[in-house]
Amino acid sequence: MERRTKVIAIANQKGGVGKTTTVVNLAAALSARKRAVLVVDLDPQAHATLGLGLEKQPGVSLYPVLLGEKPIEDVIQPTKWNNLNVIPSEVDLAGAELDFGAREDRLEMIRNALAPVREAGAFDYIILDCPPSLGIVMTSSLVASDGVLIPIQAEFLAMDGLALITSSIERIRQSVNPSLDLNGIVFTMVNSQTKLTQDVMGEVRNHFGEKVYETTIPRNVRVSEAPSMGTPVVFLDPRSKGAESYKAFAWEFMAKNPTRIDTPVIPPAPPAPATPATTPNS
Ligand SMILES: Nc1ncnc2c1ncn2[C@@H]1O[C@H](COP(=O)(O)OP(=O)(O)OP(=O)(O)O)[C@@H](O)[C@H]1O
Ligand SMILES: [Mg+2]
């Protein structure tokens, strides 16, 4: 089987928009579809690490690899689930801005660190969970990536936040990484269909067109409970609305980002609407 590894950064400088939840559940849903996935947790909060059921361990993160102290193979950890691996985060990464800010290769450092894994071709997807800031970690993650996926909430000022990150993407594209693509935008924690939600979604879709994923992720209590169990909601409660939407999103993502050169991705047809019971009038 021939495959090409895709590196996707999940990023938004705004905090709490569902980046980590999207990383964990997209990765889980892809792995369940037999895609080999490596999650790289680049946020010192280590929520992706914990959400995938791993503990933080000193020295097990990308940090010593960036320092040239360990080969990357030494920090890749398997999870409880097949095809799903993670490079955990640890508190040391919090010092990255200071420790690496003056390095000449700071923009390329994550790209260089990931290069051996990427070239080995053992993974379909390498998914980077970025911290919520436009600092050196996020910037060098974008330099390392083929595409950026932006989770956003349909709220007031959503377009302003998008303008900020898309201009960073543009700057990086024009300088260090011409092949960086806006992979897409996904709406997370979608509440009821309020007018504000619909207006914001309409505005973003008008502006970004097909870059906006059709699938949206609803606000769902099972999604918020899953991290404390160290299990992605797509495994914890696969029938919940949150899990179903992340699985549908993973199909859409795979169809847009094929890595198996020989096997096209054909998403399953959505379930047929329930046939209404025949009434005397129908
Ligand atoms: N669809 C959802 N339904 C309900 N709660 C959600 C959903 N998505 C995320 N959450 C919750 O919202 C909070 C923020 O989500 P998450 O940690 O994924 O955001 P983030 O963008 O990674 O945050 P940070 O910027 O701090 O890294 C978490 O408590 C998470 O459990
Ligand atoms: Mg996060």
Side-chain angles (χ1 to χ4, degrees), residues 16 18-21 43 45 47-48 129-132:
K19 293 181 289 295
T20 301
T21 306
D43 188 339
Q45 299 178 100
H47 290 166
D129 188 18
C130 296

Side-chain angles (χ1 to χ4, degrees), residues 14-21 43 45 132 189 217-220 223-224 227:
K14 185 156 187 229
V17 294
K19 293 181 289 295
T20 301
T21 306
D43 188 339
Q45 299 178 100
M189 291 181 251
I217 312 298
R219 186 176 283 280
N220 174 245
V223 175
S224 56

Side-chain angles (χ1 to χ4, degrees), residues 17-146:
V17 294
K19 293 181 289 295
T20 301
T21 306
T22 300
V23 167
V24 165
N25 287 292
L26 172 63
L30 292 170
S31 72
R33 303 259 52 101
K34 299 198 167 54
R35 266 51 189 177
V37 184
L38 174 64
V39 169
V40 185
D41 188 350
L42 292 167
D43 188 339
Q45 299 178 100
H47 290 166
T49 304
L50 303 170
L52 289 166
L54 274 88
E55 305 279 335
K56 286 185 269 186
Q57 288 175 59
V60 185
S61 72
L62 202 65
Y63 188 81
V65 181
L66 295 172
L67 287 176
E69 288 174 354
K70 276 188 182 175
I72 191 163
E73 293 77 10
D74 285 13
V75 295
I76 298 178
Q77 308 289 303
T79 65
K80 273 181 264 175
W81 303 279
N82 284 336
N83 310 316
L84 183 50
N85 302 274
V86 60
I87 297 181
S89 180
E90 58 173 328
V91 73
D92 277 354
L93 270 172
E97 305 287 327
L98 283 175
D99 297 347
F100 302 132
R103 254 168 77 157
E104 222 166 272
D105 68 340
R106 64 187 178 279
L107 290 177
E108 293 91 359
M109 65 183 181
I110 294 181
R111 174 157 77 195
N112 295 341
L114 294 177
V117 181
R118 182 177 192 140
E119 278 150 29
F123 296 104
D124 290 286
Y125 300 103
I126 300 178
I127 302 179
L128 313 180
D129 188 18
C130 296
S133 93
L134 289 166
I136 189 70
V137 174
M138 175 166 150
T139 311
S140 60
S141 296
L142 300 190
V143 173
S145 298
D146 299 303

